Amino acid sequence: MSFPQSRPRRLRQSPKLRTLVQETALSAADFIYPLFVTHGKGIRKEIVSMPNTYQLSIDTLVKEAQEVRRLGIPAVILFGIPKKKDERGSEAYAPTGIIQQAVKAVKDRVPELVVITDVCLCEYTRHGHCGVVKEGRVLNDPTLELLAREAVSHAKAGADMVAPSDMMDGRVKAIRTALDRENFEMTPILSYAAKYASAFYGPFRDAAGSAPQFGDRKSYQMDPPNVREALREVALDIEEGADIVMVKPALAYLDVIHRVRSAFNVPVAAYQVSGEYAMIKAASRLKWLDEDRVIIETLTSIKRAGADLILTYFAKEAARLLQS
Ligand code: PBG
């Protein structure tokens, strides 16, 4: 049937009809909120390139976690800023490290909140790379042991889930094996499976002080033109024991989210990263965009592409918008 019998505008003529035929519904239950934890007390330091996002000390983190919970957001992912960095990122796997303390505090005070920890070395190493560095190269296999130690120490502190973001080969297997050996066989792994070497991570590296001190991450993170390679990365991670796989960034990689969703039957997460957040914040401040509408539109598009879960710095703002 074609025009004039067929008139797609019939179902768009009122808000009620539009709601009735809406195909994708966003919910606060889809969100995972990223938080940055730092040593000290009473700290709530705004990140310049990420307005309304803060470095928090553990006491203010707990308050934030309570608010997140009240807004119906089920989970947070924690990133740590260590007291001091060294060659092998030792605070990443120290029992008294910032993340280990933060996890304990949040699980103690807000037990219903799912606490996920980012497992990586770049925030903890002086050179800012995600692995062990020797003669200017990031070594794969020696890094696995450190990542496994970090994941186990997060689980010991009470983390509900661990999320390796380093992109070393074989890290999911190394982490799964180490967790199982320590009786954490029920701790799920959310792997950053298809993580691209993206220019959209800039503001995060300010927030976490994790910019590489030499070179870039292109020898371990994925090359933006590739999508078949993403499917291969995801397949390997699932084989190695990943329970949830992530695509990152989100908006510039909606096709990757879609392809991963179609090819695999595990939950798919997508990360709306710091640069995506910063762009929207900056344009809104200049009044060039309607921030509220752009937040909902971008998050809905990520969900429509196939993401079951979305890591987003807009989680609280979006949850409020969805309530009203
Ligand atoms: C650590 C890590 C990064 C992000 C999450 N985990 C930075 C990077 O790979 O350089 C980026 C998140 C964001 O930009 O919001 N490896």
Side-chain angles (χ1 to χ4, degrees):
M1 247 194 311
S2 58
F3 181 81
Q5 288 85 0
S6 207
R7 290 179 183 272
R9 287 188 59 190
R10 275 187 207 115
L11 295 177
R12 294 183 201 136
Q13 62 187 305
S14 70
K16 279 204 181 67
L17 281 176
R18 289 196 292 272
T19 305
L20 198 65
V21 298
Q22 184 180 315
E23 297 176 33
T24 307
L26 199 60
S27 150
D30 306 325
F31 301 148
I32 298 171
Y33 189 45
L35 289 166
F36 299 98
V37 204
T38 187
H39 288 276
K41 236 186 141 175
I43 295 171
R44 191 176 163 80
K45 187 170 171 246
E46 193 170 33
I47 297 147
V48 176
S49 51
M50 299 175 72
N52 206 26
T53 300
Y54 301 85
Q55 291 182 346
L56 303 166
S57 50
I58 290 176
D59 52 329
T60 53
L61 171 75
V62 167
K63 285 195 196 113
E64 189 77 14
Q66 285 161 338
E67 196 192 340
V68 168
R69 186 69 208 113
R70 271 197 301 276
L71 285 165
I73 298 159
V76 294
I77 180 163
L78 302 182
F79 296 95
I81 300 151
K83 201 168 275 164
K84 74 177 203 344
K85 299 174 190 264
D86 57 29
E87 281 314 294
R88 292 170 63 84
S90 35
E91 197 180 315
Y93 37 88
T96 55
I98 184 66
I99 286 294
Q100 290 77 357
Q101 292 185 43
V103 170
K104 278 195 197 95
V106 174
K107 287 310 294 182
D108 197 34
R109 302 282 301 281
V110 201
E112 329 77 67
L113 195 65
V114 175
V115 176
I116 307 168
T117 55
D118 184 82
V119 173
C120 198
L121 295 174
C122 63
E123 295 118 84
Y124 305 92
T125 50
R126 217 175 359 242
H127 47 67
H129 277 288
C130 305
V132 175
V133 168
K134 201 173 166 195
E135 286 153 16
R137 298 176 72 89
V138 179
L139 303 183
N140 194 88
D141 299 13
T143 303
L144 301 182
E145 186 209 328
L146 301 185
L147 293 168
R149 269 170 74 180
E150 182 178 3
V152 166
S153 93
H154 290 176
K156 280 186 178 156
D160 294 303
M161 195 182 301
V162 294
S165 67
D166 53 284
M167 289 299 279
M168 297 300 125
D169 294 329
R171 92 278 207 204
V172 173
K173 186 175 180 189
I175 290 171
R176 184 73 272 158
T177 307
L179 287 171
D180 290 1
R181 198 190 311 120
E182 301 277 341
N183 301 322
F184 291 111
E185 68 282 345
M186 293 302 285
T187 302
I189 299 175
L190 189 179
S191 88
Y192 289 65
K195 176 176 180 178
Y196 286 87
S198 169
F200 285 102
Y201 307 150
F204 173 96
R205 292 175 187 175
D206 294 339
S210 64
Q213 297 305 298
F214 68 89
D216 53 41
R217 303 209 202 288
K218 290 181 184 164
S219 78
Y220 41 105
Q221 298 180 347
M222 285 184 52
D223 204 14
N226 297 357
V227 63
R228 293 191 298 269
E229 188 185 350
L231 298 176
R232 179 152 178 266
E233 279 283 5
V234 169
L236 287 168
D237 280 11
I238 294 173
E239 239 174 75
E240 290 181 24
D243 299 280
I244 303 176
V245 293
M246 191 201 296
V247 174
K248 175 187 173 188
L251 203 54
Y253 297 85
L254 293 178
D255 58 321
V256 182
I257 297 171
H258 182 70
R259 296 277 297 269
V260 169
R261 169 72 296 156
S262 321
F264 301 97
N265 286 318
V266 297
V268 176
Y271 199 145
Q272 184 181 49
V273 300
S274 58
E276 299 179 62
Y277 177 84
M279 281 195 306
I280 294 172
K281 281 286 176 198
S284 313
R285 291 208 157 181
L286 289 166
K287 305 208 184 321
W288 289 355
L289 283 178
D290 178 335
E291 179 172 14
D292 292 354
R293 291 186 56 202
V294 172
I295 291 173
I296 297 299
E297 186 174 336
T298 52
L299 291 170
T300 303
S301 75
I302 295 164
K303 188 152 184 206
R304 192 190 62 230
D308 303 292
L309 301 164
I310 306 172
L311 290 82
T312 175
Y313 303 97
F314 285 123
K316 288 198 306 175
E317 287 160 274
R320 281 195 199 97
L321 290 170
L322 291 168
Q323 276 172 7
S324 62

